[in-house]
Structure formats: structure tokens, C-alpha cells
Amino acid sequence: QFVEKSSCAQPLGELTSLDTQGEFGRGGSSSPSSSSLCTEPLIPTTPIIPSEEMAKITCNLETKELWDKFHELGTEMIITKSGRRMFPTIRVSFSGVDPEAKYIVLMDIVPVDNKRYRYAYHRSSWLVAGKADPPLPARLYVHPDSPFTGEQLLKQMVSFEKVKLTNNELDQHGHIILNSMHKYQPRVHIIKKKDHTASLLNLKSEEFRTFIFPETVFTAVTAYQNQLITKLKIDSNPFAKGFRDSSRLTDIERKG
Amino acid sequence: QFVEKSSCAQPLGELTSLDTQGEFGRGGSSSPSSSSLCTEPLIPTTPIIPSEEMAKITCNLETKELWDKFHELGTEMIITKSGRRMFPTIRVSFSGVDPEAKYIVLMDIVPVDNKRYRYAYHRSSWLVAGKADPPLPARLYVHPDSPFTGEQLLKQMVSFEKVKLTNNELDQHGHIILNSMHKYQPRVHIIKKKDHTASLLNLKSEEFRTFIFPETVFTAVTAYQNQLITKLKIDSNPFAKGFRDSSRLTDIERKG
DNA sequence: AGCTTTACACCTAGGTGTCAAAAT
DNA sequence: ATTTTGACACCTAGGTGTAAAGCT
């Protein structure tokens, strides 16, 4: 089940062969120049087999049902200059962690392929529109409650509701920067802290594992393309309640 | 400037002899039974002189001007069953910390004396109404951004806006529990982390210092007593904007 | 009489998609 | 022709003091 793949703002390649809950280990980068694109090199260049202890960890996508509904239609995520939350939210639970250990949980989002897309309204489908735009600075979203104790991770869910997506390449807020009209795959990483001095930039003394959930693939957009996606967002996101049919009443209906 | 005082839900004694920015070290408790009152024993019973390194740390109350205005009138803080924020907020900045070290910053609130008070409306003044009610479980509010790096502390302010006060002795939310009609002194503590295993309950391997700001003394109340305090809250707390004179307009004034 | 509780209107703060305008 | 931006109405979520009611 251990699969080597490219990483760190490099395309993931095809994901169709993966199970519902796939996992990516640390794979060697194929391009010699790729390291210069990575301002925050999460992934070392030498492949590493996870330790027995880390191999026991499993990660479960709590919001799978909702993600599945979106995935069927082709999930889209709005990106804005000031940053936009993801909906659905990525919410995961872990098992197999050591209650006494400390862990850092983080997320990043990597391109699925080297393509740029456009939406054909008359066909209601996505088409390849050419090669991908130049890669953007890769950013990690370290979950703000990190570090977690293993005990916490076994009890609570980890929710990435606060992560924001932006198309502003000069963003100063630490939001994740994406290219519009490109396909992306969110990833969840867990790192076991071995000593308190180790940082994310210095992973030699750490162990980590990476989890991907193919049903969370999405296309970044600045405005929704597929109207069915818009409708599903409105019907399932509490903040969009004002656009639901049932609240779209005339004055007469309101009084009745 | 190092002063030994009682601690941990024990009365602080008179504070009038302290400077604007006082500091409390760890003092021996006078009452043999006091340790049983402390469910979270922050303060050991043996007095300790801070290390040279810790002695260099200073703590500044950023919101002093506003606190002074309230202090002149006699600050009151509402406590409710579900928990109420403090206003003004305690916001502090530190200097003299080691940029490379890690620190935990926390807050607690201790009784100022052994008295219960009542407010004489006709005289607009507070009167002693008897002996203090039985002490409540002492709670620590660890700042949620802890642990901080020294670098962070030198850059940012530390704001305790989210701390909540309650009169519910059975509170399950971790709010700070206070007796109504009693006088309290908030305190800010900073602890240097020496190793990652040390907890707040096991401070032997840690060093810490405690700062008090006498202008932040307040009386806990379930409803405001002094109308001047109510007015100052309304005029200075953004959430109370709806009660300001300028927004108390008649329909005619609103249209004009 | 003194103190506490509760529902409430009125805010802050910020997350939604919409739609027209602007940019490319 | 397509994509992006920004002001906007409409929400969620929750922090205010108020005033009447409840408690002791």
C-alpha cells in the first residue's frame, strides 16, 4: 500500500488507481530544479519507509459523505484575493497514534496534473485548455492546535475549517496559493515530534506520514462554473443559507 | 523589587504599596490548609529567587490607559453562568525574553482580600459587607497560542480577550470561577520551557515569573452597580455600541 | 431589599453566493 | 469571449447591556 509519488508542488500524476484512502510516502523528486520551487521543503529527496510505529497510524476522513456528493459533480473551490475557506471542510480522525507522543498535523494542496482547464457550459463538462500555469510557492497549513498529544488525537477530530485559499501570489497571510482553473489534491500530514527543537524545515529527526483522500480533489475557480456545484454548496453550507430556495420567498409568501 | 506574597486563591493583601507594574514571586503560603484549596498548584510553597535570565524579563500592560479610566471609577466585571469576557482586555507585551527559547504565558485571577462587598447606591460607593465567601477552585487560563517562541513574544502582543469569567462553581468549560461582590486581581505569568515533557503541574524544571498590574483590580458582579462604569463600558466596548447615546436616536432623528 | 437569571434587541466580525463591472 | 474583481444582501456565530422576572 506504500506508494512513491512526486511531491512538493510537483504534479501528483493520475490518482485513479488509488483506493478511497490512499497514502503517499516521501518520494524522490523527478525534476532537478524542483527544489528551487519549494520554499518550504516538506519532503526530503530520499525515499523513506515509515517506521513500524508510524505505519500503524490510520487517518479517516470524517466528512466523506459530503465530499462524495461534491466529487460526483466535480468539486470546485472558490479562490479570492483575500482568501476563501474550503467547503466542504477537511475533517479527519486518527488512530494508531501513541497517546504519550506529540504530533504536528498539517495540510497542503498539490497539483493533480500539468493541465489548465476550462468549463464548457453547453456541455456542462470540463475540458483541457492547455498546459499548467507556472507553479506557485508551495505553502503548508500547520493546524493551529498543533502540537497535539496522541491522546488528544484519539479523542478529538482535527478540523481544517480555517484554512484559506487564495489566487494572490503575493499573499502575506499564509494562505494556500493556487492557480485558478487548475486541479488540486489536498493532503494531510502527521509528524511525530521526537524532540522539541525540530522544525518542519528539519525533518531528519522526525517521522511523518501523508494521507490523501481522492474524493477531495477539486478545481480552483474564481467563480463557480457548474451550476449543480453552486446549488449543492448553497444547500449544504450554513453560511449560504440566504440563497436557499426555501428562503427565497416573495413578500406574500413570507407573510403567509 | 522582588516581593513575597501569598498566592493561589489566597488573599493578596494590600496592593497599594506596589508600583504601577508590580511583580509577585513565589511566596510561601501562610495557611497550612491552603494547598488543599488549590486544584492546580501553580505556585510551590518554597520561595524562589528568579534566575538572572528570567529577572531580565519585563511585561508591559498595553491597554493601561483604558484600564486607568475604569480603575478611577472602580472597575466591575460581569460574571455569568455561561461565562463573560473581561472588558477591558488584558493585553501585554514582553521584553528581555530569549528569542530562541519557548515560553508558556498564562493568566489567573486571585482574591485581593477576605471581604465581601456591597454597593451603596445613595452614596455611590462600595462598602464592606462581611467576610469573603468560601474560596472557589482556582483555575489557570493558559493562553491558547502557548507555547510562544521568544521571537514571537518580542514581536506580537499577547491578548487575553478570550478568557471568560463565571460564577458557576461547576463550570465545565475551563472558565475562571469567581465569587460575585468580591474584589480580584488578575495576574500574568510567563514560564520558560526547559524541556517538552514539563507540564504546569510539574514546575520543578521550569522557571517562571508573575506580573500584576494593580490598575486591573476589579469587583466581580452579576449586574453593574456603578452607573458610571456602565456608561464607560458602553462607550468603550465595540460590542455595546448599540447602547451609546449617539445610536439612541428616535425615528425622526434617524431620518434626519 | 439585594442579588441573580433570562430573553431580547442591537451590535461586531466575518463567511456565503450574486451580479454588474472591470480586466485580460 | 472568458475570467476576475468588488460592492452587496443575507446569513452564522457570538459579544453587549437592558429590563423584567425570579430568587433568597
Side-chain angles (χ1 to χ4, degrees):
Chain A
Q1 201 197 346
F2 181 77
V3 185
E4 287 192 18
K5 285 286 180 182
S6 59
S7 56
C8 193
Q10 293 298 108
L12 273 179
E14 294 303 322
L15 295 168
T16 47
S17 61
L18 291 168
D19 293 334
T20 306
Q21 180 186 313
E23 180 203 343
F24 280 62
R26 295 182 271 193
S29 184
S30 54
S31 158
S33 64
S34 68
S35 62
S36 64
L37 300 173
C38 299
T39 55
E40 295 172 288
L42 172 65
I43 318 271
T45 50
T46 46
I48 292 177
I49 305 288
S51 68
E52 265 188 53
E53 185 191 342
M54 291 301 282
K56 281 190 290 194
I57 299 177
T58 66
C59 181
N60 181 54
L61 181 66
E62 294 291 327
T63 40
K64 174 171 170 46
E65 292 70 20
L66 191 54
W67 277 103
D68 282 340
K69 284 191 198 171
F70 278 95
H71 190 46
E72 276 177 32
L73 302 174
T75 312
E76 300 174 24
M77 294 288 173
I78 298 273
I79 58 179
T80 68
K81 199 173 154 187
S82 59
R84 195 78 153 192
R85 288 190 181 175
M86 295 174 67
F87 189 89
T89 297
I90 292 194
R91 263 201 280 272
V92 296
S93 58
F94 291 95
S95 67
V97 295
D98 173 6
E100 304 300 318
K102 284 206 167 183
Y103 298 89
I104 292 173
V105 180
L106 56 147
M107 191 185 128
D108 66 358
I109 300 181
V110 292
V112 164
D113 54 35
N114 256 309
K115 302 183 176 78
R116 184 189 169 83
Y117 291 85
R118 70 183 194 85
Y119 190 74
Y121 288 89
H122 59 295
R123 287 203 243 169
S124 297
S125 67
W126 288 94
L127 307 175
V128 174
K131 252 199 123 329
D133 293 335
L136 298 168
R139 286 198 173 158
L140 302 177
Y141 178 81
V142 178
H143 193 286
D145 294 353
S146 292
F148 294 88
T149 64
E151 195 182 359
Q152 283 178 301
L153 289 180
L154 294 171
K155 241 183 285 186
Q156 326 155 175
M157 227 159 41
V158 178
S159 172
F160 288 94
E161 60 194 356
K162 290 221 161 66
V163 69
K164 285 193 172 182
L165 314 182
T166 184
N167 58 347
N168 180 8
E169 303 185 23
L170 304 175
D171 173 79
Q172 301 294 313
H173 300 90
H175 300 152
I176 293 180
I177 309 171
L178 302 178
N179 275 319
S180 186
M181 311 309 269
H182 289 59
K183 256 189 188 164
Y184 289 99
Q185 172 66 62
R187 308 190 302 184
V188 173
H189 312 275
I190 183 167
I191 305 176
K192 183 178 180 189
K193 289 196 74 165
K194 277 201 168 162
D195 64 84
H196 61 298
T197 58
S199 77
L200 293 178
L201 299 174
N202 174 22
L203 277 177
K204 286 166 198 163
S205 63
E206 313 281 356
E207 296 189 274
F208 82 91
R209 281 191 58 192
T210 298
F211 299 91
I212 69 133
F213 304 96
E215 61 268 49
T216 62
V217 169
F218 65 86
T219 306
V221 296
T222 57
Y224 289 125
Q225 306 295 310
N226 181 348
Q227 296 182 354
L228 295 175
I229 287 292
T230 310
K231 187 175 180 344
L232 187 50
K233 295 251 185 179
I234 288 172
D235 287 340
S236 48
N237 187 336
F239 288 111
K241 205 178 195 176
F243 299 103
R244 291 181 192 167
D245 287 340
S246 58
S247 49
R248 293 284 201 150
L249 303 173
T250 64
D251 282 1
I252 294 169
E253 284 172 317
R254 236 186 278 277
K255 283 165 189 168
Chain B
Q1 202 197 345
F2 181 77
V3 185
E4 287 192 18
K5 285 286 180 182
S6 60
S7 57
C8 195
Q10 292 300 108
L12 272 179
E14 293 304 322
L15 295 167
T16 48
S17 61
L18 292 169
D19 293 335
T20 306
Q21 179 185 315
E23 178 203 343
F24 280 61
R26 295 181 271 192
S29 184
S30 53
S31 158
S33 64
S34 68
S35 62
S36 65
L37 300 173
C38 299
T39 55
E40 295 173 287
L42 171 65
I43 319 270
T45 49
T46 46
I48 292 176
I49 305 289
S51 68
E52 265 187 54
E53 185 191 342
M54 291 301 282
K56 281 190 291 192
I57 299 177
T58 66
C59 181
N60 182 55
L61 181 65
E62 294 291 326
T63 40
K64 174 171 169 47
E65 292 70 21
L66 191 53
W67 277 103
D68 282 340
K69 284 191 198 171
F70 278 95
H71 189 46
E72 275 177 34
L73 302 173
T75 311
E76 300 173 24
M77 294 288 172
I78 299 272
I79 57 179
T80 67
K81 201 174 154 187
S82 59
R84 195 79 152 191
R85 287 190 181 176
M86 294 175 67
F87 188 89
T89 298
I90 291 193
R91 263 201 281 271
V92 296
S93 57
F94 290 96
S95 68
V97 295
D98 173 5
E100 305 301 318
K102 283 206 168 183
Y103 298 90
I104 292 174
V105 180
L106 56 148
M107 191 184 126
D108 66 358
I109 299 180
V110 292
V112 163
D113 54 35
N114 255 308
K115 302 182 174 80
R116 184 188 169 83
Y117 291 85
R118 70 183 194 85
Y119 190 74
Y121 289 90
H122 59 294
R123 286 201 243 170
S124 298
S125 67
W126 288 95
L127 306 175
V128 175
K131 250 197 131 312
D133 293 335
L136 298 167
R139 285 197 172 158
L140 301 178
Y141 178 82
V142 178
H143 193 287
D145 293 354
S146 293
F148 294 89
T149 64
E151 194 182 0
Q152 283 177 302
L153 289 180
L154 294 171
K155 242 184 285 187
Q156 325 155 175
M157 226 157 44
V158 177
S159 173
F160 287 94
E161 61 195 356
K162 291 220 161 68
V163 68
K164 284 193 173 182
L165 313 182
T166 184
N167 58 347
N168 180 8
E169 303 184 24
L170 304 175
D171 173 78
Q172 301 294 315
H173 300 91
H175 299 152
I176 293 180
I177 309 172
L178 303 178
N179 275 319
S180 187
M181 311 309 269
H182 288 59
K183 256 189 189 165
Y184 288 99
Q185 172 65 63
R187 309 190 300 184
V188 174
H189 312 275
I190 183 168
I191 304 175
K192 183 178 178 187
K193 289 196 73 164
K194 276 199 170 164
D195 65 84
H196 63 297
T197 57
S199 76
L200 292 179
L201 299 174
N202 174 22
L203 277 177
K204 286 166 197 163
S205 64
E206 312 281 357
E207 296 190 275
F208 81 92
R209 281 190 60 193
T210 298
F211 299 92
I212 69 132
F213 304 97
E215 61 269 49
T216 61
V217 169
F218 65 86
T219 306
V221 295
T222 56
Y224 290 126
Q225 306 295 309
N226 182 348
Q227 296 182 354
L228 296 176
I229 287 292
T230 310
K231 187 176 180 343
L232 187 50
K233 294 252 185 179
I234 288 173
D235 287 341
S236 49
N237 187 335
F239 288 109
K241 204 178 195 175
F243 299 103
R244 291 183 192 166
D245 286 342
S246 58
S247 50
R248 294 286 202 148
L249 302 173
T250 64
D251 283 0
I252 294 169
E253 284 172 318
R254 237 185 279 276
K255 285 165 187 168

